[in-house]
């Protein structure tokens, strides 16, 4: 046998580290059944989101891009006692599937799915004077990342963490001439983050069941 590939290793790591999870499996099955695209985070990435929330003692988490609620379940499981997750989703159908999945997971009482363009939802949260979020997960339309980052900065505190998914996209992110709006959005996001004195950031490439991609981790330091 040659060297196992990234997806094979992902499955091995998941089998070693993650327990059987009928709730997450049901969320994926229901999302597939409802015709949602199969683009939720991987089981191992989902675990990382939950671990981050738990390690931070997060009481308030914000997600941008709900889809069927898979990553929302992972994040909400990591919330401290009494904590809450707000998740923003453009598509009413996705939000409906997510609400069912979150209810099945027993998390409906601590998760609010807000339907509408995420930039409007984030502006509304700011207007409402929402308490700062401890952790933000950005995972909606990639062309919107620069704006979501800008708005997220107004909704956090020193010490908050912002994670952004899909910042590598098969390596296309390194192509300065890419005409792909998603790639261009991610590049503008990364360059904006890199130039922002209030934050310190990194990005890590990943390979696994979701292919070759990566995520950025941003910490608000001032
Ligand atoms: N975080 C999810 C996956 C999100 S996929 C998970 O890992 O389980 C991206 C989602 O962003 C899709 O559901 C899509 O409908 C939503 N989206 C796209 N544009 C959006 C916008 N402008 N505002 C809010 N959500 C948007
Ligand atoms: C896409 C979006 C995602 O959030 C993801 O994790 C993978 C793919 C997409 O829009 O293609
Ligand atoms: Mg994603």
């Amino acid at each position: 046998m040659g060297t196992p590939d990234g997806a094979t290793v992902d499955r091995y790591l998941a089998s070693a580290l993650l327990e059987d999870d009928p709730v997450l499996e049901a969320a994926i099955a229901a999302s597939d059944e409802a015709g949602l695209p199969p683009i939720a985070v991987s089981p191992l990435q989902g675990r990382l989101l939950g671990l981050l929330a738990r390690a931070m003692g997060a009481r308030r988490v914000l997600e941008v891009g709900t889809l069927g609620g898979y990553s929302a379940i992972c994040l909400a499981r990591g919330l401290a006692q009494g904590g809450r997750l707000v998740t923003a989703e453009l598509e009413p159908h996705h939000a409906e599937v997510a609400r069912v999945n979150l209810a099945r997971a027993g998390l409906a009482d601590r998760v609010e799915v807000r339907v509408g363009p995420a930039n409007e939802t984030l502006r509304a949260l700011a207007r409402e004077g929402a308490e700062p979020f401890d952790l933000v997960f950005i995972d909606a339309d990639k062309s919107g990342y620069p704006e979501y980052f800008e708005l997220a900065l107004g909704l956090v505190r020193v010490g908050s963490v912002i994670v952004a998914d899909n910042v590598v996209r098969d390596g296309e992110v390194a192509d300065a001439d890419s005409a792909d709006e998603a790639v261009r959005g991610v590049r503008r996001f990364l360059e904006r983050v890199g130039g922002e004195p209030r934050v310190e950031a990194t990005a890590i490439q990943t390979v696994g069941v979701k292919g070759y991609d990566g995520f950025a981790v941003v910490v608000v330091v001032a």
Side-chain angles (χ1 to χ4, degrees), residues 5 16 51 133 157 164 196 209:
D5 68 9
L51 289 177
F133 290 93
R157 55 167 173 84
E196 172 55 56
V209 293

Side-chain angles (χ1 to χ4, degrees), residues 53 56-61 79-85 131 134:
M56 296 182 68
R59 294 192 65 263
R60 294 183 49 78
V61 177
L79 284 168
Q81 196 75 36
R84 289 187 66 78
L85 166 70
E131 253 181 82
D134 306 304

Side-chain angles (χ1 to χ4, degrees), residues 39 139 142 165-166 169:
I39 56 175
D139 193 24
K142 311 310 161 193
D165 196 26
N166 311 117
R169 311 304 297 268

Side-chain angles (χ1 to χ4, degrees), residues 2 18 21-22 29 32 38 46 52 58 97 119 124 150 152 211:
L18 307 181
D21 202 324
D32 290 346
L52 264 177
V97 173
N119 57 356
E150 205 64 54

